[in-house]
Amino acid sequence: MTTMAPDAGAQDTTAHEAVFDAAVAAEERIEPRDWMPDAYRATLVRQIAQHAHSEIIGMQPEANWITRAPSLRRKAILMAKVQDEAGHGLYLYSAAETLGTGRDELLDKLHSGRQKYSSIFNYPTLTWADVGAIGWLVDGAAITNQVPLCRCSYGPYARAMVRICKEESFHQRQGYELLLALSRGTEAQHAMAQDAVDRWWWPSLMMFGPPDAESSHSAQSMAWKIKRHSNDELRQRFVDICVPQAASLGLTLPDPDLRWNEERGHHDFGAIDWTEFQDVLRGNGPCNDQRIGQRRRAHEEGAWVREAAAAYAAKHGKATA
Amino acid sequence: MTDAPVTLGEAPLATAALALGDDALVLSHRLGEWAGHAPVLEEEVALANIALDLLGQARTLLSLAGDEDELAYLREERSFRNAQLVEQPNGDFARTIARQLYFSVHQHLLYGQLAAGDGPFAPLAGKAVKEVAYHRDHAEHWTLRLGDGTEESHARMQRALDALWRYTGELFEPVEGLSVDWTALREGWLAAVTEVVERATLKLPDGPQSGAWTAGAGRQGIHTEPFGRMLAEMQHLHRSHPGASW
Ligand SMILES: [Fe+2]
Ligand SMILES: [Fe+2]
């Protein structure tokens, strides 16, 4: 647990609040030992936990292809990527820990369905090209979302995001490069790449969350400088980045309404199927049960290992794994 | 590249490169199967680390014998030269750790000898021996934790050591093209493994170190049944697109 300032009455809270507000306004970082409003702490724990859970659940759809990677070079890249995601999970659970909530508690909440992870990972990886599409689009969308978090008001989260964003941009480039090789390959490989992009495009756009008008947490998070841009702004930025990249890949994006709007200086794009988004969020996606089932199983089957490490540490007075 | 099965050159250098390269390739693949299933997040990172080191070694070694992808993806089961130990399925975490212990102590001592010599594998072994020292350290630490942890972990670790013991003898069958003191290797290995196993409050298995007719079998292309399925999974996509590049 981090030390919370002792409760010395309402007056102190007001004084603390003024210091906190001034620090946030001045773009200073809030650190673990600083006073912070309970709601700020809770919002951060919720967001960081969801982010950490997404990293570790996100290992599954790509790990699905490690044993079938079609060249040793691609296999090495993919194993390293999945390993990076585990590392991201570690940094983020540590960041949450600085707010007084440990990894075990957060994992319990994930396993019991009380905390969520990004819905994108409830879609299946059906072909090898999906590994490329995830790198290009899903890591790409994650970067668009996360680069502004490197300036988040909470120090440990902001610093974790700097490291993570660097690695995510590798993943994005590797995914793009994988798709490029397929797109320029045989007819069957090209078709495989196009099919993957067709399936992953719309779910990637949903990664930015509901439209601004319906986003419940946004306003307060913006005021606290946890969030910097609205969902719709980030989504637009992502679309504008992807359109020319798709053209260089020689692949099309599955949206007949996608076109450049001279007046706005942005691409217009078609309506997102928010019914599907809500449906997947509620647990009805193609892989929700499978993903959480595998996570629970790994945790349960690993219980005896963690118990052994703890017992050994207790006997020998050393830290566990 | 063709989709015809690849046959091997039988020069001693190629034979040795394949034996060492296939050990690393196959064990890396098995460790890769853990991704997303490890008992604790730190082990996702550690097992992937080891798998990546081994894959890097495999790529260098196979490239000495030919094209790495042709060798990995287009050979049939009978042409693989890895020891049977590394192809054994992961089982529970104890089984994986026992396999790691037996193999990494062997590889560490073997690469130590190769690095100290002036043969064609010295530069590679010199680099890899540092990686393998970490693999060995990882396996020894977990052997201690599991052996001297709880009653359950102790029992699982003992079962794992016993079950894999019969695949250890093959590690000391001389490989053509490697100038290694195999007797010293076996003695060094036995001393090191015994020390860790006893410190972990476990018992060194007392059965034979090889099956009835299988001594040195993996090196001759005789493998165990699970290996064929492993290869089927590993090679399927590559073989489905003959001549494609990835
Ligand atoms: Fe990540
Ligand atoms: Fe990533």
Side-chain angles (χ1 to χ4, degrees):
Chain A
M1 286 285 283
T2 50
T3 42
M4 305 233 324
D7 181 18
Q11 241 178 348
D12 269 14
T13 305
T14 315
H16 281 313
E17 193 130 34
V19 173
F20 172 85
D21 288 344
V24 170
E27 297 284 334
E28 282 166 26
R29 294 272 181 267
I30 306 301
E31 295 299 334
R33 288 170 189 285
D34 295 339
W35 184 91
M36 63 188 84
D38 291 343
Y40 175 84
R41 185 184 298 273
T43 298
L44 276 169
V45 170
R46 184 179 55 79
Q47 180 172 335
I48 296 173
Q50 175 163 340
H51 190 168
H53 299 332
S54 303
E55 299 285 356
I56 63 167
I57 296 280
M59 295 168 69
Q60 291 182 27
E62 294 197 274
N64 183 38
W65 282 93
I66 286 178
T67 52
R68 292 176 288 172
S71 75
L72 297 185
R73 175 172 163 264
R74 292 287 176 201
K75 189 174 185 167
I77 292 173
L78 181 56
M79 278 209 279
K81 185 194 173 184
V82 173
Q83 183 192 35
D84 284 347
E85 307 303 2
H88 298 171
L90 282 173
Y91 308 155
L92 288 164
Y93 286 119
S94 303
E97 200 141 17
T98 66
L99 293 160
T101 310
R103 197 203 303 179
D104 290 348
E105 183 183 335
L106 296 178
L107 285 177
D108 276 348
K109 286 186 173 155
L110 169 65
H111 298 153
S112 60
R114 282 172 295 158
Q115 284 182 340
K116 301 234 173 270
Y117 55 89
S118 178
S119 264
I120 191 77
F121 300 119
N122 290 318
Y123 290 86
T125 47
L126 301 179
T127 74
W128 170 250
D130 290 33
V131 171
I134 288 187
W136 178 45
L137 294 172
V138 175
D139 286 86
I143 296 165
T144 309
N145 256 330
Q146 290 168 13
V147 164
L149 288 173
C150 299
R151 294 184 294 129
C152 162
S153 58
Y154 186 59
Y157 191 28
R159 288 188 289 273
M161 290 318 305
V162 171
R163 269 174 95 173
I164 289 174
C165 281
K166 246 182 240 168
E167 293 180 351
E168 301 297 12
S169 68
F170 271 118
H171 301 167
Q172 194 266 352
R173 262 179 285 165
Q174 287 161 344
Y176 176 90
E177 201 254 320
L178 190 163
L179 285 177
L180 189 64
L182 294 180
S183 180
R184 293 180 176 173
T186 64
E187 215 172 298
Q189 287 177 307
H190 181 88
M192 192 193 279
Q194 184 61 58
D195 168 62
V197 169
D198 289 348
R199 282 181 288 109
W200 287 93
W201 174 248
W202 290 106
S204 304
L205 294 191
M206 296 177 198
M207 283 175 69
F208 296 92
D212 294 349
E214 292 153 39
S215 178
S216 49
H217 302 293
S218 286
Q220 180 62 74
S221 286
M222 296 266 237
W224 277 331
K225 297 190 177 166
I226 294 174
K227 207 175 155 81
R228 299 273 177 172
H229 307 280
S230 78
N231 296 352
D232 286 333
E233 265 171 62
L234 291 168
R235 188 166 14 244
Q236 180 71 61
R237 187 178 296 177
F238 178 68
V239 171
D240 290 339
I241 291 170
C242 287
V243 170
Q245 292 182 347
S248 331
L249 281 171
L251 298 171
T252 57
L253 296 171
D255 180 357
D257 298 324
L258 189 65
R259 64 180 57 85
W260 178 250
N261 181 327
E262 192 65 52
E263 211 170 298
R264 292 201 306 123
H266 291 291
H267 293 88
D268 291 338
F269 53 95
I272 293 171
D273 181 359
W274 291 110
T275 326
E276 176 183 315
F277 176 79
Q278 294 300 341
D279 208 20
V280 176
L281 201 62
R282 266 196 303 273
N284 204 25
C287 300
N288 298 57
D289 291 346
Q290 181 190 329
R291 299 289 184 242
I292 207 70
Q294 179 177 328
R295 186 83 262 303
R296 274 197 212 125
R297 207 160 43 247
H299 193 74
E300 284 162 15
E301 285 173 4
W304 70 268
V305 177
R306 297 188 300 275
E307 283 158 19
Y312 181 85
K315 281 186 222 176
H316 297 271
K318 280 188 212 141
T320 51
Chain B
M1 221 185 293
T2 67
D3 57 333
V6 170
T7 47
L8 307 172
E10 288 300 330
L13 176 75
T15 306
L18 286 177
L20 300 178
D22 287 348
D23 280 352
L25 178 74
V26 171
L27 186 56
S28 166
H29 185 95
R30 284 298 189 203
L31 292 171
E33 292 173 352
W34 271 104
H37 300 274
V40 56
L41 201 44
E42 283 80 357
E43 284 306 300
E44 291 284 358
V45 177
L47 294 172
N49 239 326
I50 298 170
L52 279 164
D53 286 344
L54 290 166
L55 183 53
Q57 295 163 15
R59 295 180 65 191
T60 308
L61 286 157
L62 293 183
S63 298
L64 293 174
D67 177 89
E68 60 175 36
D69 285 336
E70 286 186 14
L71 288 169
Y73 292 100
L74 298 177
R75 269 183 298 162
E76 306 281 331
E77 183 177 343
R78 295 277 280 105
S79 298
F80 276 81
R81 293 290 180 255
N82 56 283
Q84 292 181 351
L85 175 67
V86 295
E87 75 203 30
Q88 295 311 305
N90 288 337
D92 66 1
F93 189 69
R95 184 72 71 106
T96 289
I97 290 301
R99 193 182 59 199
Q100 283 304 112
L101 178 72
Y102 289 156
F103 185 75
S104 64
V105 172
H106 157 77
Q107 199 191 12
H108 189 227
L109 298 173
L110 175 68
Y111 279 37
Q113 279 201 37
L114 292 174
D118 55 3
F121 297 104
L124 165 112
K127 179 171 170 280
V129 78
K130 294 179 204 115
E131 297 168 351
V132 177
Y134 162 75
H135 306 173
R136 177 177 173 176
D137 196 56
H138 174 265
E140 291 183 351
H141 271 97
W142 273 111
T143 302
L144 293 174
R145 287 192 196 105
L146 298 184
D148 195 14
T150 63
E151 213 172 297
E152 180 181 6
S153 70
H154 179 91
R156 283 179 186 258
M157 193 62 211
Q158 188 64 58
R159 270 202 301 278
L161 290 172
D162 293 347
L164 293 176
W165 184 249
R166 63 200 300 267
Y167 300 105
T168 55
E170 190 183 358
L171 300 173
F172 312 103
E173 295 291 329
V175 174
E176 199 192 347
L178 292 183
S179 55
V180 164
D181 180 344
W182 296 96
T183 311
L185 185 68
R186 175 191 279 276
E187 283 165 2
W189 181 88
L190 192 63
V193 167
T194 304
E195 193 270 330
V196 178
V197 164
E198 284 176 357
R199 204 143 50 89
T201 72
L202 295 158
K203 262 183 61 226
L204 199 72
D206 50 13
Q209 273 182 283
S210 64
W213 59 278
T214 55
R219 304 281 185 229
Q220 315 303 324
I222 303 287
H223 295 281
T224 54
E225 286 185 353
F227 185 55
R229 286 176 188 281
M230 194 207 100
L231 281 189
E233 183 173 338
M234 183 174 107
Q235 297 182 334
H236 163 260
L237 177 59
H238 184 100
R239 285 178 180 250
S240 300
H241 297 261
S245 50
W246 300 93

